[in-house]
């Protein structure tokens, strides 16, 4: 155990890297996938089940927790780890992205954002300083700068103005974060799909100095080809010896393509949210258990999967409980999807360690059928 926050780069294979982030609450094996625990829970999962899938860290959302139950209440109750019974590391986002996508009546100024809660219409305010205070009260191990993520498509002037505001907010976030050994503050690169803007953002962040660097502003509708084109250059603009975190990504093939291009950490609601809609991810591709073709199928979702859903239940059963809207449906499909995403990360960590990422990637693509399985 350590009292400090540190990143040890392990093996590299092409641009792909494996490593370990050491924190006082435990180690994070990279490349890492973070399940999303929005309102102090990974929906339909007990914390011990999330740990059983292999997750070393989970993500909490500042926007949701500040509205309900409030950061002050969670602080009074011992912090987010105690509150949600998760003793491993937690990364919290800054609230900036979700204010823009969820809140109403938003007013953005140089100082910050005022908005009305999507839950009860109450008035709230976020700024770099307030976001740092909220994330400190939550007790998260990795804190994200408060920034603005522009919706794409946007013209260059809008991208530039937004990125430069975010860089000023990054400096204010750094100042407000203070000296917190064992905790990390990550800067967030913005700049849309404009290479020169990404470069300017990276230089601004490096001049301030952060324990880790996120690539923000992607997975906002640009499509995989444009995202990969940006990832062909953006990660290398960031310090080689610090974790690189791609926010909000993604589908299994997005994740593989991002790791291939030098990304170390990712988060996405996809495995949990889509599990609740019946969508199942496997090494052979995707299926939706809702489809009537599963109703007499005695086979597991994936013969090679060792998760509780695949060990103990048939597709027919999972089809039945989904159609019946039984709670166990969300539990089993979420567990399976999170298990599969973690298995994907473990496979890449081992492949990078063994210098065989390309072969692993080729096998990953070869065994995925087009369409339903
Ligand atoms: C699902 N796509 C997606 N893109 C994101 C971008 C950001 C960002 O730039 N925050 N500063 C955060 C969450 C995201 N989720």
């Amino acid at each position: 155990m350590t009292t400090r926050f540190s990143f040890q780069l392990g093996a590299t294979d092409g641009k792909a890297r494996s490593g370990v982030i050491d924190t006082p609450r435990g180690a994070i094996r990279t490349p890492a996938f973070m399940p999303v625990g929005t309102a102090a829970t990974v929906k339909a999962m007990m914390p011990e089940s999330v740990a059983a899938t292999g997750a070393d860290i989970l993500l909490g959302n500042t926007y949701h927790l500040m509205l309900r139950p409030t950061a002050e209440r969670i602080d009074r109750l011992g912090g987010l780890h105690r509150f949600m019974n998760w003793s491993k590391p937690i990364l919290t986002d800054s609230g900036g992205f979700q204010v823009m996508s969820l809140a109403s009546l938003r007013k953005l100024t140089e100082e910050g954002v005022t908005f009305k809660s999507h839950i009860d219409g109450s008035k709230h305010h976020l700024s770099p300083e307030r976001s740092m205070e909220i994330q400190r009260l939550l007790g998260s191990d990795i804190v994200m700068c408060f920034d603005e993520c522009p919706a794409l498509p946007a013209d260059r002037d809008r991208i530039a103005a937004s990125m430069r505001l975010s860089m000023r907010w990054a400096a204010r976030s750094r100042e407000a974060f203070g000296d917190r050994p064992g905790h990390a503050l990550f800067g967030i690169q913005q700049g849309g799909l404009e290479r020169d803007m990404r470069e300017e953002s990276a230089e601004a962040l490096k001049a301030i100095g952060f324990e880790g660097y996120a690539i923000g502003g992607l997975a906002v509708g640009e499509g995989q080809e444009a995202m990969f084109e940006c990832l062909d250059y953006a990660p290398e603009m960031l310090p080689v010896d610090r974790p690189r975190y791609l926010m909000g990504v993604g589908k299994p093939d997005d994740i593989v393509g991002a790791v291939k291009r030098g990304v170390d950490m990712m988060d996405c609601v996809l495995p949990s949210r889509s599990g609740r809609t019946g969508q199942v991810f496997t090494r052979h591709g995707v299926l939706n258990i809702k489809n009537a073709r599963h109703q007499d199928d005695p086979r597991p979702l994936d013969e090679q999967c060792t998760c509780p859903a695949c060990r103990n239940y048939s597709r027919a059963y999972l089809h039945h409980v989904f159609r019946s809207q039984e709670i166990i449906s969300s539990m089993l499909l979420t567990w399976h999807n999170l298990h599969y995403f973690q298995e994907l990360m473990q496979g890449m960590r081992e492949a990078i360690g063994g210098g065989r990422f390309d072969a692993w990637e080729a096998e990953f693509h070869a065994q995925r059928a087009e369409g339903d399985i």
Side-chain angles (χ1 to χ4, degrees), residues 93-94 96-98 144-150 188-190 215-221 245 247-249 267-269:
D93 63 11
S94 69
F97 181 80
Q98 291 192 313
M144 299 306 293
C145 279
F146 185 71
D147 73 342
E148 200 217 359
C149 171
I188 306 175
Q189 184 198 47
Q190 292 291 353
I215 298 170
L218 293 178
V220 287
Y245 162 32
M247 305 182 82
V249 173
D267 82 273
C268 193
V269 295

Side-chain angles (χ1 to χ4, degrees), residues 15 34 149 162 244 321 349:
K15 291 184 177 183
M34 298 183 280
C149 171
S162 173
R244 297 156 177 171
V321 289
R349 292 192 292 260

Side-chain angles (χ1 to χ4, degrees), residues 51-338:
T53 66
D56 292 333
I57 178 173
L58 61 76
L59 181 143
N61 288 126
T62 288
Y63 171 77
H64 291 79
L65 293 171
M66 71 182 280
L67 298 181
R68 185 175 56 187
T70 76
E72 286 73 14
R73 175 165 288 112
I74 290 177
D75 176 47
R76 288 196 302 270
L77 291 160
L80 185 56
H81 295 82
R82 181 74 213 90
F83 190 56
M84 70 180 290
N85 186 31
W86 173 263
S87 62
K88 296 173 187 274
I90 294 175
L91 178 149
T92 47
D93 63 11
S94 69
F97 181 80
Q98 291 192 313
V99 160
M100 303 318 277
S101 52
L102 292 172
S104 54
L105 286 182
R106 300 180 300 267
K107 190 171 178 308
L108 180 84
T109 66
E110 180 73 31
E111 197 282 337
V113 184
T114 58
F115 59 94
K116 295 185 82 168
S117 162
H118 74 287
I119 297 172
D120 61 12
S122 54
K123 282 197 72 173
H124 296 268
H125 155 259
L126 268 178
S127 63
E129 294 75 17
R130 177 61 178 145
S131 180
M132 293 304 108
E133 182 185 33
I134 289 170
Q135 295 180 74
R136 181 183 55 76
L137 289 167
L138 295 174
S140 61
D141 304 281
I142 301 179
V143 171
M144 299 306 293
C145 279
F146 185 71
D147 73 342
E148 200 217 359
C149 171
L152 291 183
D155 63 34
R156 268 182 62 88
D157 292 348
R158 170 90 181 82
I159 296 286
S162 173
M163 180 271 288
R164 288 164 187 158
L165 173 64
S166 288
M167 295 305 101
R168 294 193 294 276
W169 283 359
R172 285 170 52 189
S173 297
R174 177 88 268 178
E175 175 65 25
F177 180 80
D179 180 21
R180 302 185 61 209
H183 297 81
L185 178 63
F186 279 23
I188 306 175
Q189 184 198 47
Q190 292 291 353
L193 303 174
E194 307 294 329
R195 184 167 189 155
D196 57 341
M197 300 292 173
R198 287 273 168 191
E199 180 74 36
E200 180 182 327
S201 180
E203 292 311 309
L205 294 177
K206 288 186 284 190
I208 297 166
F210 292 97
E211 290 72 72
Y213 294 80
I215 298 170
L218 293 178
V220 287
E222 74 277 4
Q224 186 184 79
E225 186 183 347
M227 182 174 76
F228 281 173
E229 197 178 311
C230 181
L231 293 177
D232 282 341
Y233 59 75
E236 294 158 304
M237 296 173 173
L238 305 172
V240 67
D241 62 345
R242 294 282 195 274
R244 297 156 177 171
Y245 162 32
L246 175 59
M247 305 182 82
V249 173
K251 301 193 296 348
D253 51 316
D254 295 332
I255 289 173
V256 172
V259 169
K260 182 187 179 81
R261 293 167 173 82
V263 168
D264 303 307
M265 299 165 68
M266 282 156 283
D267 82 273
C268 193
V269 295
L270 186 65
S272 38
R273 182 177 294 171
S274 64
R276 300 195 298 278
T277 71
Q279 185 170 48
V280 175
F281 292 90
T282 80
R283 76 199 74 237
H284 300 297
V286 182
L287 67 87
N288 198 305
I289 202 64
K290 183 167 54 177
N291 193 305
R293 67 192 178 90
H294 301 297
Q295 66 183 4
D296 293 306
D297 193 334
R299 297 173 304 158
L301 295 169
D302 177 347
E303 306 277 0
Q304 294 165 271
C305 181
T306 59
C307 86
C310 292
R311 278 203 318 271
N312 306 314
Y313 302 93
S314 65
R315 289 180 180 207
Y317 177 79
L318 295 168
H319 172 80
H320 161 68
V321 289
F322 180 85
R323 286 281 188 159
S324 313
Q325 299 185 332
E326 289 293 340
I327 292 167
I328 195 171
S329 176
S330 293
M331 293 164 67
L332 291 172
L333 297 186
T334 301
W335 193 324
H336 168 80
N337 283 347
L338 289 175

Side-chain angles (χ1 to χ4, degrees), residues 3-65:
T3 58
R4 313 293 299 173
F5 178 97
S6 65
F7 177 50
Q8 320 300 332
L9 197 53
T12 57
D13 186 347
K15 291 184 177 183
R17 317 117 56 89
S18 63
V20 180
I21 301 173
D22 277 312
T23 82
R25 286 198 167 90
I28 303 157
R29 295 162 291 175
T30 66
F33 178 81
M34 298 183 280
V36 175
T38 294
T41 161
V42 177
K43 294 181 178 11
M45 296 286 285
M46 299 282 285
E48 45 269 49
S49 306
V50 175
T53 66
D56 292 333
I57 178 173
L58 61 76
L59 181 143
N61 288 126
T62 288
Y63 171 77
H64 291 79
L65 293 171

